[in-house]
Each structure stands twice: as structure tokens, then as C-alpha cells.
Amino acid sequence: MAETTSPVKLEAPTETPQELIISGKESLENYIQKGSDAGTFDASLPPLEIPIIDFGLLTSPSSSSQELEKLRSALCSWGCFQVINHGVEPALLNKVREATKQFFGLPLAEKKKYYQEDGNFDGYGNDKMQTLHWSHLLYLTVHPEDKRQLKFWPENPEYFRETLDEFSKQSEVINQILLKAFARSLNMEENCFLDMFGEQALMLARFNWYPPCPRPDLVLGVFPHTDGSGLTMLLPDKEVGGLQFLKDNQWYSVTVIPEAFVVNVGDQLEIISNGIFKSPVHRVVTNSERERISLVMFYCPNQEKEIEPANWLVNESRPRLYKTVKNYNRLYFEQLKLGKRAIEAALL
């Protein structure tokens, strides 16, 4: 899920979810999904063999046409894919994962330095929705650089800041190249999507920690949702799965490829593409024995820009599907608090 200038408040956790349950301070009932998303959750569902896109082939003049066709199919049918050969060194990926584990493993007194403040989206906390998520998180704005709030960037472990800085810069390059490829896959000028994001495109990092859960059959790490971003790139846990996508009314677990990124379309890119690209519904299941970490990078259009279907993707055979929206993230979280999906509110 992406950020907003009018965020859902992330309240500072004083104890981990399982400590609250064990101590009797909180009922497990508060974590059990209600309504249309209720049910028994199965982490061992069939693996989702989402398309795998070779970043190297995508950027090679001699082989890009076939890879672009695969990419277009993935974006239109699935809304997600795994990208390999992206150029980020495994050593940096491992460093990101280790920094994530070390931060969430710190004593509460240390993490307390980075609690989110009222009216501020950045910081450490947990999602406080009608039904609670079995997870803790750390949100940090990474781009534009002048929007960074370094007081929320952990100094422990001591290499955390430099690692995130390097990873975010490489992530931005990948996002920009992907957006150019998205445009080329539709036979459009390659900068058209990138230009719609603007020079002040927003990128937000969300570090996730999912502790072991006593009832993974009833409790979710993150409930079903689409992302309010334009484009989302996930660095998954190297060993423990949990991400599931909904396709054809069936949930499928994503197979972990340790050095790959899972990329999915966000609502804003679905709007810009006039519904050609799909923003997929996904969720995170919990695990009774093992913790899980991940890092999500949300890439969003400049919040001051209006987003709307690109003119060249609107015609008689494909009429305009969505309204013109400014600050979609505000709409996203307003609808989220109501248990609704913002993409439906953006429909004409």
C-alpha cells in the first residue's frame, strides 16, 4: 500500500502482537478478518507461476521485442511479474535484509525513537485498521531526497541509512526503465508514462516484519488490497513465503525467487493506462513457526499532478474508464478506512 498526505494513523506498538495475545492485553479476535474477506487462510495454496521478466533481455536491442510481449501479457493478464537479472548485486540485497532484521530485533526503547508522530506518515508503527494486521512496519520517504525525514531513519544498525540510500537509488533506476518498457509494450513513446509521473515522483519504502502467529489459519499479516501506488517493487524474504495474489477468484502463493523482485501494477498506473494494466488484489498470510521480513518500494506520480487515463489510450473501442484524480493517495486511504477499494471510487 502506498503513502498519503492524509494517512491512516499508525499507532506506536508497545509490544509485539503475539506478546499482547499471550499477556491477555489484547484478544486474537481483533485480528480475525471480518466481512467479505473473512475465512480460513491457507499458506500452502498452489504456487502462482507469475511471469518472469528478464531485465537484461528487456533492455537489449536484439532481444527486447519478445520480452516486451511477455511484459505486456503479464501487465494485462496478471498485473504482476518477477524480474530477474535486474543488476542489483546479491550482496546489497542481503545487506538490506540483514538491516531489516536487525532493526526489528532491537529493544523497544531503541525502536521507540522512530515512532510515527501524529499527522506524519513516516516512522515505525503498525497498521491500525478495523481488523488489525499481524505485522509491524517502518515507513520512510526516500524520494525526492529533500522530502526525506532523516529523524525517522534508524541509526542502528549503523549501516542502515547508507544501505537504504543505495538501494533506493538503484530501485528508482529500475522503476524508470520499467516504466519506459511498459510504454514500449503498448507501442507508445517510451517516456510517456515516466513524464506523467513527473520529476518529483514519490518513492516510499515500507519495511515489514511478520512475527510468528498462533493462528495463521485465521489471521493475516496484511488483508486483501490493491496498492495505491503507480508501481510497486517487493524484495521478499529470502526463505519464507507469504505473499498471495488473487486471480480468477482463487488465491495463489507467490514462489520465492531469492534474488528476484516481485513487481506489481498499482491503482494509479491502472488509471493512467485506462484499465489496460491491472492493479492486482493481494494479501500476506502468516506463519506459525517462522518470522518473515520484506521491503516494499512504492513508486508514485507527483502528488501535485492530476492523474487520468492517457489520451492516446482512450478511443471508441476503449472509452475512458476513470475520472481525473488529484492526490489519489488521499482517496485511497479514505476508502481503505471504510473497507472499500479506491479504484472503484475512481471509476466514471
Side-chain angles (χ1 to χ4, degrees):
M1 289 172 284
E3 80 314 323
T4 175
T5 55
S6 180
V8 173
K9 184 179 178 183
L10 304 180
E11 296 185 8
T14 56
E15 296 172 88
T16 63
Q18 73 269 36
E19 287 173 336
L20 290 169
I21 299 298
I22 292 171
S23 66
K25 296 178 182 178
E26 196 164 87
S27 170
L28 189 64
E29 284 293 319
N30 295 332
Y31 291 87
I32 296 176
Q33 208 71 28
K34 312 296 193 302
S36 61
D37 293 322
T40 299
F41 310 117
D42 185 359
S44 62
L45 290 170
L48 180 64
E49 300 297 339
I50 62 176
I52 297 175
I53 301 298
D54 189 315
F55 197 76
L57 295 179
L58 198 63
T59 55
S60 171
S62 63
S63 57
S64 61
S65 58
Q66 286 185 325
E67 208 66 14
L68 282 172
E69 185 58 38
K70 283 177 59 181
L71 178 65
R72 175 173 177 162
S73 175
L75 294 169
C76 297
S77 301
W78 303 78
C80 58
F81 57 91
Q82 299 211 54
V83 61
I84 61 173
N85 295 332
H86 42 67
V88 182
E89 292 294 330
L92 178 58
L93 301 182
N94 290 335
K95 199 172 181 181
V96 169
R97 291 178 172 122
E98 187 58 32
T100 304
K101 288 181 180 179
Q102 288 191 31
F103 171 74
F104 285 116
L106 292 173
L108 179 61
E110 181 70 16
K111 289 183 289 192
K112 195 173 182 179
K113 299 176 183 177
Y114 308 106
Y115 277 162
Q116 186 206 35
E117 300 168 352
D118 287 345
N120 196 331
F121 196 77
D122 284 36
Y124 171 63
N126 51 11
D127 288 323
K128 288 292 185 180
M129 306 297 180
Q130 293 177 343
T131 302
L132 301 179
H133 293 165
W134 195 268
S135 60
H136 285 182
L137 56 87
L138 173 68
Y139 271 114
L140 297 172
T141 301
V142 295
H143 189 271
E145 290 190 26
D146 61 2
K147 301 297 184 182
R148 293 180 176 182
Q149 300 183 65
L150 293 179
K151 66 179 181 178
F152 295 111
W153 288 47
E155 295 181 279
N156 186 1
E158 54 88 19
Y159 61 89
F160 186 101
R161 293 186 175 191
E162 65 179 42
T163 300
L164 177 57
D165 180 65
E166 177 60 28
F167 183 75
S168 64
K169 288 175 178 175
Q170 294 195 35
S171 299
E172 184 181 9
V173 171
I174 293 172
N175 283 324
Q176 291 177 351
I177 292 174
L178 285 175
L179 284 175
K180 290 181 179 181
F182 290 2
R184 297 204 317 275
S185 77
L186 296 177
N187 298 314
M188 302 190 318
E189 196 282 317
E190 73 169 10
N191 286 320
C192 59
F193 287 143
L194 199 57
D195 290 344
M196 294 184 79
F197 273 60
E199 292 184 1
Q200 295 296 301
L202 189 65
M203 187 158 61
L204 185 81
R206 171 173 164 148
F207 296 83
N208 300 294
W209 174 56
Y210 304 95
C213 177
R215 291 300 304 270
D217 58 322
L218 296 176
V219 175
L220 288 171
V222 177
F223 64 74
H225 66 285
T226 59
D227 289 339
S229 60
L231 186 65
T232 299
M233 189 174 82
L234 166 75
L235 175 64
D237 191 290
K238 199 170 184 176
E239 299 177 350
V240 184
L243 177 63
Q244 295 182 339
F245 281 97
L246 185 67
K247 182 170 174 58
D248 300 327
N249 295 316
Q250 170 69 48
W251 286 105
Y252 293 92
S253 297
V254 175
T255 301
V256 174
I257 303 176
E259 310 305 340
F261 295 127
V262 180
V263 177
N264 68 266
V265 173
D267 289 357
Q268 295 188 65
L269 191 54
E270 178 171 330
I271 292 171
I272 291 171
S273 72
N274 198 33
I276 295 175
F277 299 156
K278 305 303 181 186
S279 178
V281 176
H282 51 288
R283 69 185 185 185
V284 177
V285 294
T286 52
N287 189 299
S288 63
E289 299 177 354
R290 304 182 69 181
E291 68 175 8
R292 177 177 176 269
I293 60 163
S294 66
L295 170 58
V296 187
M297 304 297 286
F298 299 107
Y299 197 56
C300 309
N302 182 339
Q303 300 302 283
E304 297 305 313
K305 290 173 66 73
E306 291 182 334
I307 62 165
E308 60 183 351
N311 290 333
W312 50 89
L313 296 176
V314 177
N315 50 51
E316 289 185 5
S317 62
R318 191 174 191 87
R320 179 174 172 142
L321 299 177
Y322 299 100
K323 306 171 186 175
T324 299
V325 182
K326 187 174 182 179
N327 197 347
Y328 179 83
N329 292 326
R330 186 188 301 276
L331 173 66
Y332 178 81
F333 277 103
E334 286 173 352
Q335 295 298 304
L336 193 67
K337 286 187 287 186
L338 297 173
K340 300 179 180 180
R341 290 172 182 150
I343 195 75
E344 296 173 1
L347 286 167
L348 284 173

